[in-house]
Amino acid sequence: MTRTDSSPDDRSGDRTGAAARLEVDSLTKRYGEVTAVDGLSLRVEAGEVFGFLGPNGAGKSTTIDVLLDFVRPTSGSVRVCGHDPQTAPRAVRRRVGVLPEATGYYERASAREHLRFAADMKGADHTPEQTLERVGLTDAADRPVGGFSKGMRQRIGLAMALVGQPDLLVLDEPLAGLDPAGARRVRTLVREERDRGAAVLLSSHITEQVETLCDRVGILSGGDLAVVDTVVGLRERLDADRSVVLTLAERPASLAIESLDGVSGVSEREAGVRVTCRDPTAAGPVVAQLDAAGATLLDMNSRGGSLEHLFLTLTDDEREATGRPATAREAGR
Ligand SMILES: Nc1ncnc2c1ncn2[C@@H]1O[C@H](COP(=O)(O)OP(=O)(O)OP(=O)(O)O)[C@@H](O)[C@H]1O
């Protein structure tokens, strides 16, 4: 499988793989009154899977549309493998493999024919068999895509993205509609592509998938990154943020709960008294002392510690609380 490099607009930019595969610098995109992307900056390097997380309407698709030159920015810039999509769109499209959120297919054409179309579009020499095998569509290679299930459509979309060994893979919800075996196959495939040296921008709402697949994660909220970190770094932050919350029916008369070792907060609530232990290992001894003092424990659960919790805190919860999304500055990026 080789890429044909004859495009006149393909002469500039990085061909060594050493520079960032994707550079977004202070990107803003407004649609009239709506600011879809608001001063976004990010880099994705070769051999890296970057999880682009964000709730509905955060600006993920708009960012992707700008880097493919489907949409022009209001201000700021984007470079893909060193190329500006506005001045070198063909070079960008040759080097990028895209699995869009919704893909249109030629319903009467087969999976194999779709891969030929993709190869023609990219100017790549491509043998469909290996790619069909990688996505698990060998047996359906010659069936019209019109008869494909949702998961099979997702697989052919992914196969088309892989044609031509792209330097940057842009995958929008790559596991959507896949059964567990299909999802595992795609996870393997994403890792193989990364190990080959491709950069992967993986856009998703599903925190669990992002956590297991990505090297770095950015959480987009209101058009800008509220947080960006390695998965390892995020895990450390999340562990530091973990706490155990106990709910008591009422305060025990004989015990000053605030003075117990490990208790970091006590507050009166409608549903009872909430006792927070910042250090989860302190929760056991605290419960024992509350029990000895005759307190009735109504509930006990752990808070924080998950990427999902962080995602909700930085996006939905923040918006509910303030009427606007969290910004990078507030989140201490
Ligand atoms: N063509 C357009 N015209 C007007 N507003 C738009 C247009 N495209 C996007 N928007 C608005 O820009 C904001 C960001 O939308 P975008 O589709 O980029 O979000 P997203 O993160 O991809 O969301 P989702 O997860 O739902 O796909 C939204 O408020 C959306 O309504």
Side-chain angles (χ1 to χ4, degrees):
M1 205 191 298
T2 55
R3 190 172 42 233
T4 310
D5 294 320
S6 56
S7 165
D9 65 358
D10 200 17
R11 290 186 197 118
S12 63
D14 158 55
R15 305 201 61 79
T16 64
R21 293 286 167 84
L22 173 63
E23 290 173 271
V24 177
D25 188 15
S26 307
L27 178 69
T28 294
K29 174 65 191 176
R30 289 193 198 93
Y31 293 103
E33 298 285 292
V34 177
T35 302
V37 179
D38 193 7
L40 172 70
S41 296
L42 69 89
R43 282 171 71 92
V44 186
E45 310 287 340
E48 173 178 54
V49 183
F50 186 89
F52 200 36
L53 262 178
N56 294 132
K60 303 181 297 295
S61 304
T62 304
T63 305
I64 291 171
D65 284 348
V66 170
L67 67 94
L68 298 172
D69 194 40
F70 295 154
V71 157
R72 292 271 160 104
T74 305
S75 62
S77 66
V78 164
R79 292 192 86 77
V80 178
C81 304
H83 299 285
D84 179 346
Q86 289 187 47
T87 56
R90 283 206 293 167
V92 167
R93 282 175 205 160
R94 276 166 188 261
R95 302 186 73 174
V96 177
V98 187
L99 172 69
E101 199 173 13
T103 315
Y105 295 105
Y106 302 99
E107 300 289 310
R108 290 190 196 163
S110 68
R112 192 191 304 278
E113 283 167 328
H114 275 83
L115 293 192
R116 290 205 187 106
F117 298 147
D120 286 349
M121 298 262 293
K122 288 187 178 177
D125 293 332
H126 178 256
T127 320
E129 280 67 31
Q130 195 199 353
T131 310
L132 289 166
E133 166 74 32
R134 287 181 81 193
V135 300
L137 281 178
T138 302
D139 292 345
D142 296 307
R143 280 171 49 189
V145 166
F148 276 17
S149 69
K150 193 175 168 196
M152 290 167 82
R153 283 169 179 260
Q154 185 76 349
R155 288 169 194 231
I156 188 66
L158 191 61
M160 290 171 80
L162 294 174
V163 166
Q165 294 193 300
D167 294 326
L168 173 67
L169 261 175
V170 178
L171 307 177
D172 204 344
E173 297 288 357
L175 303 179
L178 295 176
D179 58 27
R184 191 171 56 190
R185 192 186 279 270
V186 171
R187 283 197 294 272
T188 303
L189 215 144
V190 168
R191 291 188 185 111
E192 285 170 358
E193 289 298 296
R194 177 198 48 201
D195 294 346
R196 173 176 71 73
V200 183
L201 181 73
L202 192 154
S203 165
S204 182
H205 307 97
I206 305 168
T207 50
E208 222 174 57
Q209 293 175 358
V210 168
E211 207 171 354
T212 53
L213 256 180
C214 300
D215 302 302
R216 278 194 308 140
V217 175
I219 299 180
L220 195 66
S221 178
D224 194 9
L225 289 173
V227 69
V228 58
D229 204 345
T230 60
V231 168
V232 174
L234 271 181
R235 173 97 347 258
E236 280 168 9
R237 287 196 209 196
L238 295 169
D239 283 346
D241 210 27
R242 208 183 282 272
S243 61
V244 172
V245 177
L246 314 169
T247 307
L248 310 177
E250 57 198 19
R251 280 179 182 268
S254 61
L255 190 67
I257 312 174
E258 285 86 348
S259 62
L260 295 179
D261 274 353
V263 170
S264 52
V266 182
S267 56
E268 309 284 340
R269 300 287 163 125
E270 216 170 277
V273 179
R274 182 189 279 184
V275 180
T276 305
C277 302
R278 269 269 173 227
D279 172 8
T281 60
V286 168
V287 168
Q289 292 172 78
L290 290 168
D291 193 41
T296 306
L297 184 63
L298 299 176
D299 189 32
M300 174 170 168
N301 59 57
S302 101
R303 293 274 163 86
S306 73
L307 184 55
E308 185 175 7
H309 180 83
L310 180 67
F311 178 87
L312 290 172
T313 307
L314 292 173
T315 56
D316 294 349
D317 282 0
E318 190 77 10
R319 268 189 292 187
E320 260 172 42
T322 62
R324 65 186 167 76
T327 65
R329 225 167 291 111
E330 286 161 350
R333 171 155 56 117

